[in-house]
Amino acid sequence: MVTLTIDGKKVTVRKLSTVLDAARKLNIPIPTLCHHPELSPYGGCRLCIIEIKDLARPVTACTTFAREGMEVITTSPYLEKLRKTTLELLLSDHPNDCMVCERAGDCTLQELAYFYDIRENRFVGEKRPFIKKDENPFVERAMEKCILCGQCVRVCDEIQGVGAIDFAYRGLKTKICPPFEKDLDCEFCGQCVAVCPTGALTGKMWAQKGRQQDVRTVDTVCPYCGCGCNISLHVRRNEVIRVSSKEDTINEGWLCAKGRFGYEFIHNSDRLTKPLIRISPKEGFEFSSQSPSFNPPPGKGGNGGVRSSPLTPHNSRFKEVSWDEAFDYIAKRLKEIKDSYGPDSIGGLSSARCTNEENFLFQKFIRAVIGTNNVDHCARY
Amino acid sequence: MRADIKIKVCMGPSGIATGGADVIEAFKNEINSIGKKAIIEERCSLHQVGCLGFCAKDVLVEVVVDGKKTIYEYVKPGMVSRIVKEHILEGNPVTEWIAGEEYYNFHKKQIKVVLSNCGEIDPEDINAYLAVGGYEAARMALTLMSPEEIVEVVKSSNLRGRGGAGFPTGLKWDLSLKIKSDVKYVICNGDEGDPGAFMDRSVMEGDPHSVIEGMIICAKAIGSHQGYIYVRAEYPLAVKRLQIAINQCYEAGLLGENILGTGFDFDLKIYQGAGAFVCGEATALMRSIEGKRGMPTPKLWRSAEKGLWEKPTVLNNVETFANIPRIILKGADWYSSLGTERSGGTKVFALTGKMKNAGLIEVPLGITLREIIYDIGGGIENGRAFKAVQTGGPSGGCIPAELLDIEVDYESLALVGSIMGSGGMVVLDETDCMVDIAKFFLEFTQAESCGKCIPCRVGTKRMLEILNRITVGNAKEGDIELLEELGQDIKVTSLCGLGLTAPNPVLSTIRYFRNEYEAHIKDKKCPAAVCKDLITFSILEEFCNGCGACKRACPADAIIGKRKKIHKIDPEPCIKCGTCFDVCKFNAIMKM
Ligand SMILES: Cc1cc2nc3c(=O)[nH]c(=O)nc-3n(C[C@H](O)[C@H](O)[C@H](O)COP(=O)(O)O)c2cc1C
Ligand code: SF4
Ligand code: SF4
C-alpha cells in the first residue's frame, strides 16, 4: 500500500495503482476521454494532466503510478488552461452537430465542452471528412466524430479478442478502421459501441429512437444464456429501444452480440406469448369446449411464429390454450407414447437459454420420470 | 601478397549517389586491362569503403601508393584511366584533380572516433575490421571484465545517448543490469527518420561491425542473450551490410552460442521498420518489433524494467553503440577527456545547407558552432551572410549568429531553444525565410505524428495552418502570440518526444526572428523573398537592355516589351516562378 496526497487530501491505495485510481477513490474528478478502468492505460487524450511536486513537467494521472509520499495537484489555473487548449483542439476537428447527434446528453466530449465553457474556439482548420456507410445492421460508424481515444480498438483486442479494427494512417489523417478500410465485418458484439465516449460509434437499431431524458432504464438479467449478464433495458413509452450494461455488474459491463443487439424479439409480432397446441384438421376440435377460438394470436401479420399456409406439413393449425390445458396435453401425450413405444422412444433437448438449475431439473425429469437417457443440450452440438 | 597500392572509392550514401559504383567499375576494368601488361594487378586491392566524409566533393577516391596517400575529388568514371595510367603506372599523381586545401581544413578540427573506420576499411570484410583491432574490446569484455566493470567504464566515460535525448548510457545499462530477469533484450536504434540525417546510416554502412561489437559488449554487461537492430527498410545498403557482418560474426564465433569459447550466448537479428519517423521513439520502436502499430506507449515502466515484450531492455542509438568498443579499448578517461565535463567524447553531425563544405563530420563535444561552420564548413557559400543554424532536425531549433560561440553540448543547445538531436545541422543564409524553414519542419512532424494524442495530432496541424496563413499573407494580428501559446502547450501536454519537441522550430524562429514573422503579417512582405505569395517580380528600368531573355523564358507570358526596349512584368498572369530572375544576365529583375 502507498499513501499519497492529492489536492491536500491523504489517500492510501494498493501498490501499482495509478494517480487517477487514487484520485477517483477520493472522488476527485479528473477529466478523461481515453481512460477505461478495464482496458490497458493509454495516455492519448492528455486531459488527466496533473502536477506532481518536484517534477519539472505535468504528467498524465492515468499513466503515473502512485508513489509513497507523492504530492499531487489535480487542478490549477495552469492545468485547466492546458486542458482547455486540448479540448479546443479536439473540437476544432469535430462536426459539432450535437443537435442531431445520437449521443447528445450522453457524450463525454459534450459534457467537457460544457464544463469548460468552450463557446468560441481559438482554433479553426481542416477537419477529417468521413462518408463511408457500412452495410451491417448493428454498428453505425460516424468517424468524423471519432476522437481517437482508442477505447474501441482496445476493447476489441483486449476484451473481445477479435482485433477487427485498428489505427491507420498518420497525422490528422489518422483513423480507426477495419483492415483496408473495408466495411466492418466482425462479431458485432458492440463492445466498441459501448465504450465509445462520443457519437462516433452508435447502434443502428437505436438510432433516432429517443433522447436520454425520455428514457427509463430497467435493470434485468439477459435471457440468452446461463451466464446471466446484467443488462439495462432503455425503455421509452413502454418500448425497449436499446440494451446496455453497467460497469459495476458481474459482467463488468461487457455483453455479446445477442445480449446487446438481440432484443427485437421483445416487441416482435412473431413472438410466442401464450401456449399453443398444434391441431390438424383431421383431429377435429378436441379442445373447443374450453377454447372457443384457434385463431393465431393477434399481431401484425404474424401467425404465432408458425406458418399456417396450406403448404405447412399436415396442414397444421394452432389453438391458443391455457397453461393447464397445455401441461395436461403434454402429460397425456408423453404417457401415451411411453406406454405404447417405451421410454426410449422419447428424447429431451434443453436450451442454453435456461439456467443451470433448470437444465438440471430437465434432465432429472427425462431420466427419472420418463425413464430414458436420451437427453441433450443445444450447446453440445 | 599484401598490396601496397590501394584504391579506395567512397561508397557512402553520397558517394553512391554521385556514381561511386561506376567509378569502382571503371577502376576494375582499367586495372584488369592494364594488368595484362603490368604486374600492377596483383598489387592492387580494391575496396568499397564507407563514407569519406566530404560529401560536397564526391566521388572521392583515395589512392595509396607505397603508403603515400593521395585524394582525388569529383572523380568521374572518365577520369579513371588517366589516374591509373599516370599515377599508378607512372607514379605521377594527377595534380589538377587532387583535393585541395579545403579538404584538409575540413578534417583539421575533427576527431574521428566513431567514424575512424568509415572510409578506411572494407565494411563487408570482417578481416578488415579485425585488422584494425576489431572485436578486441568484445574479447576483453567477455573474458576479462565483469558486467559491473563494463558498466563502470561506460559510466565514467561520460558517454551520453547519441539518439537525441542524451541520457547517460552507463546509467541506462546500470538500471538494466540491476533488474533480475532470465530474458533481457538489447536493441540498436537505427531508424534515423529525421529529414536530412545520415549519420547512423553512414556508420551502419561504413562500419557495421563496430555497432555489433558495441551490442555484444552491452549484452554481456546487462546479461542479455538476444539483440535486435532496428533499421528502416529505406536503408537497403545498411541492412545488407549489417546482415553480411552478422553472418560473418556467426561464422567467426562472435555471435550465437558460446561466443569465443566463453560460454556467453548472444543472438542478433535485424528488424526492418517501414519508415515512420515516430518508430525511432523508443516505445514505438519496441511495439513495432512486437508486430504492433508503431505508436508510443505510456511510460508507466522504464524500458530497463519492462521494455520489449515487457522484458528489461536496453535501447541505444547506432552511434552510441559504435562508441563502446573504442571506450573499452582506450579507456574511459581518454573518451571523457575528448568532450566537456557533462558530455564525453565526440559527436557525428550531418552538416548541410548553405556552407561551402557540406558533409559528415565528427567533432569533440564542446566545440563551438562557429568552429564547425567556419573552420570545418568553410563558411557560407557565395559570400552571403550567415543567418542561422538549425540543429536537431524537426525537433530542434534555429540558432542565430549572435549565439555562434556557444559550445555544442546537450545542455547549452537546449538552453537556447534547440536540441542536440541525433546530429543534423543545417546552415541557413540570408536567402532563407525563417517562417518558411519553420513551416518545412512542422510539415514533416505534423505528417509523421502517430495520431495518438490530441496536442500533437491536431495541435501541430493547427500551427502549420497558421504558418501557412502567414506565408500567404492571410495572417491576423495575434497569430504570432497564438502560435507561441499553442506551441508552449503542445510542448507540455504531448505524449512522446515527437510532439513535445515539434513546436521547437517555430518557437525558436519566433524567438530570434520575430521581425520576419511581423514583416509577413503586418507589411505582407517576405524579407528573404522566399514566400511566393508575398513577393512581386519587377524589372529595373536602368538595368534592362531589352534583350528579351526573360520574355522568352517566362512560362506564363507575363512579360511584355519590344526588342531593345525596356520590358515590363504584368503582375496579373505572373505565377512567380522566378524563371526571369534566374535567366536575366543583367540583374534587372527585382524580387521583393
Ligand atoms: C520522434 C522520435 C524519433 C526518434 N528517432 C530516433 C532515431 O531515429 N534514432 C535514435 O537513435 N533515436 C531516436 N529517438 C530517440 C529514442 O527515443 C531513444 O531515446 C534513443 O534511441 C536512445 O538511445 P541513446 O540513449 O543511445 O540515444 C527518437 C525519439 C523520438 C521522440
Ligand atoms: S463490434 Fe465487437 S468485434 Fe466488432 S469491432 Fe466492435 S468490439 Fe470488435
Ligand atoms: S506526441 Fe505525437 S507522435 Fe507522440 S504519441 Fe502523441 S500523437 Fe503520437
Side-chain angles (χ1 to χ4, degrees):
Chain A
M1 302 297 273
V2 290
T3 302
L4 65 163
T5 318
I6 305 181
D7 294 343
K9 293 181 200 141
K10 273 210 157 55
V11 62
T12 303
V13 288
R14 274 195 304 204
K15 257 191 155 172
L16 302 190
S17 300
T18 63
V19 175
L20 185 66
D21 297 335
R24 297 221 158 144
K25 195 168 171 191
L26 281 172
N27 267 329
I28 294 174
I30 299 181
T32 62
L33 279 168
C34 67
H35 178 76
H36 191 292
E38 302 297 329
L39 303 175
S40 59
Y42 190 66
C45 76
R46 318 308 291 163
L47 288 174
C48 67
I49 200 151
I50 48 154
E51 282 176 298
I52 295 175
K53 200 178 161 203
D54 297 330
L55 272 193
R57 199 162 62 74
V59 293
T60 43
C62 69
T63 61
T64 308
F65 285 133
R67 284 184 212 280
E68 189 61 40
M70 211 177 220
E71 288 178 37
V72 178
I73 295 173
T74 70
T75 179
S76 69
Y78 179 55
L79 288 174
E80 298 305 346
K81 172 199 146 202
L82 293 176
R83 287 179 187 148
K84 191 164 176 175
T85 301
T86 305
L87 278 170
E88 277 180 280
L89 288 171
L90 199 49
L91 290 168
S92 75
D93 180 28
H94 196 80
N96 301 343
D97 59 354
C98 303
M99 255 100 70
V100 290
C101 179
E102 196 49 48
R103 291 291 297 273
D106 177 30
C107 165
T108 322
L109 180 61
Q110 195 186 45
E111 186 184 309
L112 288 171
Y114 167 76
F115 281 120
Y116 281 85
D117 194 24
I118 300 176
R119 288 160 199 274
E120 273 164 40
N121 197 329
R122 286 175 296 161
F123 312 111
V124 272
E126 190 187 323
K127 294 181 177 184
R128 297 158 301 158
F130 182 82
I131 33 171
K132 192 165 172 61
K133 285 274 167 267
D134 284 348
E135 289 293 320
N136 79 75
F138 304 110
V139 179
E140 181 71 50
R141 294 190 297 142
M143 301 311 276
E144 74 279 8
K145 294 182 186 172
C146 171
I147 57 167
L148 294 160
C149 69
Q151 292 195 61
C152 54
V153 175
R154 279 175 286 152
V155 81
C156 190
D157 177 30
E158 296 169 17
I159 302 290
Q160 205 58 21
V162 172
I165 45 177
D166 207 337
F167 291 84
Y169 302 100
R170 301 173 210 172
L172 197 78
K173 296 197 182 77
T174 311
K175 61 172 92 168
I176 290 170
C177 57
F180 309 108
E181 293 186 73
K182 288 190 173 162
D183 275 9
L184 190 61
D185 183 12
C186 61
E187 306 212 328
F188 298 115
C189 61
Q191 305 275 50
C192 49
V193 174
V195 295
C196 179
T198 73
L201 298 175
T202 52
K204 281 188 179 165
M205 291 165 59
W206 52 84
Q208 290 172 304
K209 285 276 171 66
R211 285 296 192 202
Q212 284 302 298
Q213 91 258 23
D214 357 291
V215 170
R216 187 163 56 95
T217 53
V218 179
D219 292 344
T220 181
V221 175
C222 175
Y224 272 107
C225 80
C227 287
C229 290
N230 287 207
I231 59 175
S232 303
L233 305 177
H234 298 230
V235 184
R236 180 176 181 265
R237 297 193 187 147
N238 218 28
E239 187 193 346
V240 176
I241 59 164
R242 178 179 166 184
V243 169
S244 69
S245 180
K246 294 177 179 157
E247 269 170 35
D248 56 355
T249 51
I250 51 150
N251 46 307
E252 298 178 335
W254 310 127
L255 291 177
C256 76
K258 289 187 277 182
R260 190 182 314 278
F261 294 119
Y263 60 83
E264 273 188 326
F265 72 91
I266 299 173
H267 303 290
N268 196 298
S269 55
D270 287 349
R271 180 174 165 196
L272 294 179
T273 50
K274 296 251 171 61
L276 299 173
I277 288 177
R278 190 202 299 265
I279 42 168
S280 80
K282 271 181 256 155
E283 287 174 38
F285 298 88
E286 205 179 322
F287 294 88
S288 59
S289 56
Q290 284 154 327
S291 260
S293 99
F294 59 91
N295 286 333
K300 286 182 267 162
N303 187 16
V306 194
R307 288 185 296 162
S308 61
S309 75
L311 296 174
T312 309
H314 314 302
N315 215 1
S316 309
R317 302 252 161 179
F318 288 89
K319 188 169 70 142
E320 200 178 297
V321 294
S322 71
W323 280 110
D324 279 344
E325 280 176 88
F327 286 133
D328 285 347
Y329 182 66
I330 294 168
K332 178 176 154 244
R333 289 292 293 136
L334 282 176
K335 222 187 254 156
E336 281 170 14
I337 294 167
K338 187 177 162 185
D339 288 347
S340 21
Y341 305 105
D344 281 342
S345 62
I346 297 174
L349 275 180
S350 179
S351 164
R353 291 187 59 172
C354 303
T355 62
N356 277 347
E357 293 79 355
E358 287 161 342
N359 278 321
F360 171 79
L361 283 175
F362 183 72
Q363 65 82 31
K364 199 79 181 167
F365 170 77
I366 295 287
R367 290 201 169 98
V369 180
I370 306 284
T372 175
N373 284 326
N374 291 341
V375 62
D376 214 330
H377 180 279
C378 75
R380 241 176 50 89
Y381 58 88
Chain B
M1 181 164 133
R2 217 183 130 77
D4 47 12
I5 290 182
K6 277 190 187 146
I7 297 167
K8 302 182 183 180
V9 177
C10 181
M11 283 290 276
S14 159
I16 290 175
T18 43
D22 295 337
V23 174
I24 287 202
E25 206 46 42
F27 269 110
K28 274 188 189 155
N29 293 339
E30 205 58 44
I31 282 163
N32 278 343
S33 71
I34 56 163
K36 291 190 189 91
K37 290 179 261 157
I39 6 159
I40 289 160
E41 190 190 45
E42 279 169 42
R43 300 171 68 207
C44 277
S45 63
L46 195 64
H47 298 266
Q48 294 178 16
V49 296
C51 192
L52 279 171
F54 203 5
C55 305
K57 313 241 171 215
D58 264 326
V59 176
L60 288 166
V61 175
E62 186 184 312
V63 176
V64 191
V65 179
D66 293 331
K68 223 179 136 271
K69 243 193 223 179
T70 311
I71 299 196
Y72 291 104
E73 55 191 26
Y74 303 120
V75 178
K76 300 264 168 310
M79 296 154 69
V80 168
S81 71
R82 209 177 130 197
I83 295 175
V84 171
K85 184 163 167 282
E86 292 181 18
H87 188 170
I88 294 174
L89 280 179
E90 296 164 12
N92 304 315
V94 189
T95 40
E96 69 250 48
W97 294 341
I98 290 180
E101 197 184 332
E102 271 179 4
Y103 182 85
Y104 296 95
N105 283 344
F106 182 74
H107 287 286
K108 210 158 66 188
K109 289 217 169 169
Q110 297 196 47
I111 297 181
K112 305 258 177 149
V113 177
V114 169
L115 297 181
S116 59
N117 289 338
C118 286
E120 297 295 330
I121 65 170
D122 181 350
E124 295 185 10
D125 180 7
I126 192 172
N127 292 319
Y129 186 66
L130 291 169
V132 292
Y135 292 108
E136 246 344 282
R139 186 184 301 276
M140 270 173 71
L142 289 174
T143 54
L144 304 174
M145 297 170 81
S146 70
E148 288 76 12
E149 280 167 341
I150 301 174
V151 167
E152 200 41 52
V153 172
V154 177
K155 261 188 182 171
S156 51
S157 76
N158 246 346
L159 170 66
R160 295 173 59 175
R162 298 294 188 238
F167 191 82
T169 305
L171 205 59
K172 192 184 264 188
W173 292 16
D174 198 22
L175 287 170
S176 219
L177 165 65
K178 291 203 172 112
I179 294 189
K180 292 214 166 26
S181 170
D182 293 345
V183 182
K184 292 185 184 179
Y185 296 105
V186 176
I187 304 176
C188 172
N189 187 345
D191 189 58
E192 197 167 57
D194 329 22
F198 51 92
M199 298 75 59
D200 295 346
R201 173 179 179 172
S202 297
V203 175
M204 290 186 285
E205 291 178 2
D207 195 12
H209 282 288
S210 67
V211 181
I212 296 171
E213 186 172 5
M215 293 184 75
I216 295 172
I217 296 167
C218 175
K220 160 80 189 202
I222 67 159
S224 159
H225 304 294
Q226 176 68 55
Y228 291 92
I229 307 181
Y230 189 91
V231 194
R232 52 179 44 224
E234 285 101 321
Y235 281 180
L237 186 64
V239 171
K240 179 184 148 209
R241 291 201 172 147
L242 281 166
Q243 193 57 57
I244 291 173
I246 289 174
N247 295 347
Q248 289 171 342
C249 284
Y250 272 104
E251 274 167 35
L254 286 157
L255 281 175
E257 283 177 16
N258 193 14
I259 297 177
L260 297 173
T262 58
F264 183 74
D265 309 335
F266 184 58
D267 281 305
L268 190 56
K269 264 193 214 142
I270 296 176
Y271 192 95
Q272 291 189 48
F277 177 51
V278 74
C279 284
E281 198 275 343
T283 56
L285 186 150
M286 291 181 217
R287 300 298 86 78
S288 173
I289 295 182
E290 288 168 3
K292 303 189 177 121
R293 177 174 158 99
M295 279 208 293
T297 40
K299 288 197 178 80
L300 273 160
W301 303 93
R302 278 187 292 230
S303 301
E305 297 164 308
K306 286 189 180 186
L308 184 62
W309 285 301
E310 305 227 317
K311 297 291 177 201
T313 302
V314 162
L315 176 127
N316 276 125
N317 168 258
V318 168
E319 195 184 327
T320 313
F321 278 125
N323 271 305
I324 298 292
R326 281 86 179 196
I327 292 171
I328 297 291
L329 274 187
K330 297 197 185 172
D333 290 343
W334 161 79
Y335 192 79
S336 65
S337 72
L338 291 177
T340 66
E341 205 178 308
R342 285 175 301 194
S343 333
T346 57
K347 173 81 191 89
V348 180
F349 288 98
L351 202 55
T352 53
K354 301 290 171 58
M355 90 284 280
K356 286 197 188 120
N357 310 330
L360 195 71
I361 61 164
E362 182 170 359
V363 288
L365 288 168
I367 190 171
T368 66
L369 284 167
R370 186 180 303 282
E371 286 173 280
I372 294 183
I373 294 163
Y374 286 93
D375 298 344
I376 298 175
I380 309 299
E381 48 177 16
N382 302 331
R384 296 211 186 96
F386 169 90
K387 191 184 236 174
V389 54
Q390 210 281 349
T391 69
S395 313
C398 289
I399 302 168
E402 57 270 28
L403 294 174
L404 274 186
D405 289 310
I406 59 165
E407 295 187 344
V408 174
D409 70 17
Y410 296 90
E411 283 77 14
S412 44
L413 288 181
L415 211 60
V416 299
S418 187
I419 61 162
M420 175 90 100
S422 50
M425 218 178 247
V426 187
V427 174
L428 308 168
D429 71 10
E430 55 192 342
T431 63
D432 288 303
C433 165
M434 301 314 280
V435 187
D436 191 59
I437 293 289
K439 203 173 86 178
F440 168 81
F441 284 112
L442 204 63
E443 239 158 33
F444 175 81
T445 32
Q446 177 278 130
E448 288 293 324
S449 157
C450 82
K452 181 168 182 173
C453 67
I454 302 160
C456 171
R457 178 183 77 238
V458 192
T460 56
K461 176 76 181 175
R462 298 292 171 255
M463 285 182 81
L464 180 63
E465 286 166 340
I466 300 173
L467 286 177
N468 275 331
R469 240 168 28 220
I470 295 176
T471 55
V472 300
N474 285 339
K476 304 187 292 262
E477 273 300 302
D479 270 354
I480 302 182
E481 291 71 22
L482 189 58
L483 273 178
E484 284 177 312
E485 268 179 51
L486 178 54
Q488 291 299 352
D489 289 357
I490 295 173
K491 275 184 72 142
V492 174
T493 48
S494 293
L495 167 61
C496 86
L498 192 151
L500 290 169
T501 57
N504 283 347
V506 182
L507 294 177
S508 71
T509 47
I510 295 182
R511 179 166 163 190
Y512 298 116
F513 301 93
R514 199 181 187 99
N515 54 345
E516 277 196 40
Y517 279 79
E518 283 167 352
H520 282 75
I521 298 174
K522 294 196 182 118
D523 314 334
K524 309 277 180 222
K525 284 272 169 256
C526 174
V530 171
C531 299
K532 262 194 185 177
D533 294 87
L534 301 182
I535 50 175
T536 42
F537 288 84
S538 55
I539 295 178
L540 292 167
E541 299 193 354
E542 55 274 40
F543 293 109
C544 175
N545 63 5
C547 74
C550 56
K551 189 176 168 185
R552 285 191 297 278
C554 175
D557 286 334
I559 301 180
I560 35 183
K562 295 224 168 66
R563 251 188 98 67
K564 306 280 183 200
K565 292 267 158 54
I566 290 169
H567 283 51
K568 260 196 160 54
I569 298 178
D570 180 356
E572 205 44 47
C574 171
I575 54 165
K576 300 175 185 180
C577 64
T579 309
C580 54
F581 184 86
D582 297 336
V583 298
C584 179
K585 293 203 180 76
F586 309 99
N587 290 331
I589 311 271
M590 197 164 75
K591 175 165 85 164
M592 66 171 285

